[in-house]
Amino acid sequence: MLPPIQGLKFYPGIHRYRYKKKWLINSVTGVISHDMTQAKKAAINYYKDGPRGWAARGTALHKVLENKLLSRRFKEDEIWQEWVEPLMGCELFEKAETLAVEYSVCEEKFSLGGSFDFLIKTKEGETILGDLKTSSSKRAAKQRGTADEQLGAYFSMFSKHHPSLKIDKCCTVILGPGVCRVEKEEPQKCLEEWKQKWEKFQSTQEDW
């Protein structure tokens, strides 16, 4: 397992990062969503809360993946069993070596922080940096897009702190009831998409 980046700490209660005793201004999720329409934000927030809302679903299933990758015994909530079964049977994680889970990264120059879900070495020998996305239905899981921009941000920051560790692929794992999609992409393509997003974000910000 990789050691955490020295001096970097994530505060989940306020979703903020602190590096070398300074608060980071930006987060990857904030940059990604900065140009989202108000209507889309309202729709997302509408389905967020409650025992079956996306916040509870995401928290529960990310914990399942974390426990799986760390070989911990756990008992998942039965209401998510339709999601858990395809995740537990996902071939990507079969006999994989876990290098990092819920790993925080940062870019001091841009006052930027973020956390990716997993870094593994597959049974085929590929080193894969990935993120888990959950959907409410089988149809939504089949239609959901990949997280290439987000993965590009993580790849960029991770590479600065661990330049000797080569990432072969970035991967979005899209999970729904009865379905688990594994979508791999070249890290450089994800990086280019992130650079475009970051430049667009910067153009809307005042100097800081």
Side-chain angles (χ1 to χ4, degrees):
M1 294 285 286
L2 291 177
I5 294 171
Q6 190 172 3
L8 177 63
K9 186 174 181 180
F10 176 53
Y11 295 80
I14 56 175
H15 202 83
R16 292 285 304 276
Y17 294 86
R18 193 173 174 86
Y19 184 55
K20 296 180 179 178
K21 299 182 180 181
K22 292 182 180 179
W23 291 106
L24 300 180
I25 298 172
N26 305 300
S27 71
V28 173
T29 52
V31 174
I32 295 295
S33 63
H34 86 277
D35 54 355
M36 188 181 294
T37 66
Q38 291 301 316
K40 188 171 182 179
K41 286 181 181 179
I44 290 173
N45 287 330
Y46 182 81
Y47 294 104
K48 177 181 179 181
D49 299 320
R52 286 187 172 271
W54 61 258
R57 182 183 71 235
T59 297
L61 295 171
H62 276 79
K63 197 66 180 178
V64 169
L65 178 58
E66 179 181 352
N67 286 327
K68 174 181 173 62
L69 292 176
L70 295 176
S71 299
R72 294 173 178 165
R73 296 181 64 183
F74 66 95
K75 183 175 176 58
E76 71 278 357
D77 193 321
E78 290 186 3
I79 68 171
W80 306 117
Q81 190 59 39
E82 287 185 88
W83 287 257
V84 171
E85 289 181 3
L87 179 59
M88 295 301 288
C90 181
E91 188 176 356
L92 178 70
F93 303 116
E94 183 182 342
K95 298 180 180 179
E97 177 188 355
T98 302
L99 303 177
V101 177
E102 297 293 333
Y103 194 81
S104 295
V105 287
C106 67
E107 171 57 89
E108 186 175 18
K109 177 182 177 181
F110 298 144
S111 192
L112 176 71
S115 298
F116 59 83
D117 293 332
F118 62 87
L119 182 70
I120 61 172
K121 179 171 285 190
T122 68
K123 60 184 179 183
E124 293 82 14
E126 279 191 321
T127 299
I128 293 182
L129 185 155
D131 217 56
L132 173 68
K133 300 298 182 185
T134 71
S135 298
S136 59
S137 67
K138 183 177 292 188
R139 179 181 179 184
K142 290 180 177 180
Q143 294 178 342
R144 182 164 186 163
T146 57
D148 292 352
E149 294 173 336
Q150 193 173 348
L151 290 166
Y154 300 144
F155 170 72
S156 175
M157 293 188 284
F158 180 85
S159 298
K160 287 181 170 62
H161 291 277
H162 298 284
S164 63
L165 205 164
K166 180 179 179 292
I167 304 297
D168 296 305
K169 289 289 190 296
C170 291
C171 180
T172 311
V173 176
I174 302 172
L175 184 65
V179 59
C180 185
R181 285 173 51 208
V182 174
E183 302 290 346
K184 296 180 183 179
E185 189 52 85
E186 294 297 327
Q188 287 301 320
K189 180 178 182 297
C190 294
L191 181 60
E192 288 305 314
E193 291 195 26
W194 164 248
K195 286 180 177 178
Q196 292 176 26
K197 175 64 74 171
W198 174 255
E199 289 172 3
K200 186 176 181 181
F201 170 75
Q202 275 195 310
S203 70
T204 67
Q205 306 301 300
E206 297 179 0
D207 292 338
W208 45 266

